């Protein structure tokens, strides 16, 4: 069978993708040409620990100030919450 998760990640990696505003107060908008499910998103703090977040309708919410790394497919984006 086909691994649909992997297919989705590969499709994502070929897409254009941006996150804004960055820095923000904890709310980041995603601009992308593919659908992103919250299961595809990982957020880590600077210690490499997984961080809780909410994601709904192309908006990512992080509640605590700090510097984070967003992982999505093979993309790695530094996010700053002020």
């Amino acid at each position: 069978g086909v691994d649909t998760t992997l297919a989705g990640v590969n499709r994502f990696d070929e897409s254009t993708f941006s996150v804004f505003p960055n820095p923000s107060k904890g709310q980041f908008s995603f601009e992308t040409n593919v659908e992103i499910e919250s299961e595809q998103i990982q957020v880590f703090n600077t210690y490499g620990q997984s961080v809780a977040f909410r994601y709904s309708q192309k908006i990512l919410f992080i509640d605590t100030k700090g510097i984070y790394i967003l992982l999505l497919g093979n993309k790695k984006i530094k996010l700053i919450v002020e």
Side-chain angles (χ1 to χ4, degrees), residues 25-68:
K25 300 287 185 202
Q27 181 173 321
F28 299 92
S29 296
F30 283 40
E31 190 172 291
T32 176
N33 60 2
V34 296
E35 277 303 310
I36 298 171
E37 302 297 327
S38 72
E39 295 80 29
Q40 295 174 282
I41 299 170
Q42 293 179 285
V43 179
F44 298 94
N45 63 20
T46 54
Y47 301 106
Q49 298 164 316
S50 187
V51 173
F53 64 89
R54 296 184 316 282
Y55 178 76
S56 177
Q57 299 183 349
K58 295 190 178 181
I59 299 176
L60 177 76
F61 302 90
I62 302 173
D63 293 331
T64 307
K65 292 180 182 182
I67 297 173
Y68 301 95

